[in-house]
Structure formats: C-alpha cells, structure tokens
Amino acid sequence: MSSVSDASAARGGRKDPADGKQTGDRTGPLTFYRQVVAELRKVVYPTREQLVTYFFVVLFFVLVMIAIVSLLDLGLGKLAFEVFTGADDI
C-alpha cells in the first residue's frame, strides 16, 4: 500500500520521456504558442447544419429551464406569501 507522499505528484511530477524534463517545468512563450497552434489544428469544427442544430437544442433546453425555474419561483413565492401573511380565519 502506498501512502500519499509516495505519489508522483508529491515527488515533483514525472519526467517526460521525450525530452527528460519535469512535466511541471515552465515552457517558454514560443513553445507555448507552437503547442497552442498544434492543438488548434486538431480541432474539428462543426458544419453549419450541426451548428444550427446545436443552437436550437441549447435554446430549447434554456427555455425549458427558464420555465421550470419561473414556475418554481411563482409557486414558492405564493406559498411564502400565504405562510407569512397568514390566514385570519383561525
């Protein structure tokens, strides 16, 4: 059984086999920029049709959530009003 202090994160991280550097070492701005560009080249952008579909799915979901929250707010508001104003027929 290993303890928490035996974890590689606690010992300072692991070494990257490609260059032997610690993975926690800071990278320079040029290396960072190259890595960002490399990652952006991997991105698969949706088609216009997919984008329109996603837009309407999200719009529908947001409208449903607005309706649910509004109804809960209205119902709980009326309940609180009844509780705190009280019925005078007691």
Side-chain angles (χ1 to χ4, degrees), residues 31-51:
T31 304
F32 176 75
Y33 176 75
R34 287 180 182 160
Q35 290 174 349
V36 167
V37 170
E39 289 299 320
L40 286 175
R41 286 187 179 140
K42 297 177 188 178
V43 173
V44 178
Y45 293 97
T47 63
R48 182 178 295 272
E49 183 179 318
Q50 289 173 328
L51 196 60

Side-chain angles (χ1 to χ4, degrees), residues 64-78:
V64 167
M65 294 307 296
I66 287 172
I68 290 171
V69 170
S70 296
L71 290 173
L72 282 172
D73 181 51
L74 181 67
L76 292 175
K78 285 188 177 188

Side-chain angles (χ1 to χ4, degrees), residues 12-41:
R14 58 186 167 84
K15 290 191 180 218
D16 189 7
D19 58 9
K21 289 175 134 182
Q22 294 282 59
T23 55
D25 290 347
R26 294 179 61 102
T27 58
L30 187 59
T31 304
F32 176 75
Y33 176 75
R34 287 180 182 160
Q35 290 174 349
V36 167
V37 170
E39 289 299 320
L40 286 175
R41 286 187 179 140

Side-chain angles (χ1 to χ4, degrees), residues 42-63:
K42 297 177 188 178
V43 173
V44 178
Y45 293 97
T47 63
R48 182 178 295 272
E49 183 179 318
Q50 289 173 328
L51 196 60
V52 169
T53 301
Y54 298 157
F55 171 77
F56 285 115
V57 167
V58 170
L59 184 65
F60 175 76
F61 176 77
V62 168
L63 290 175

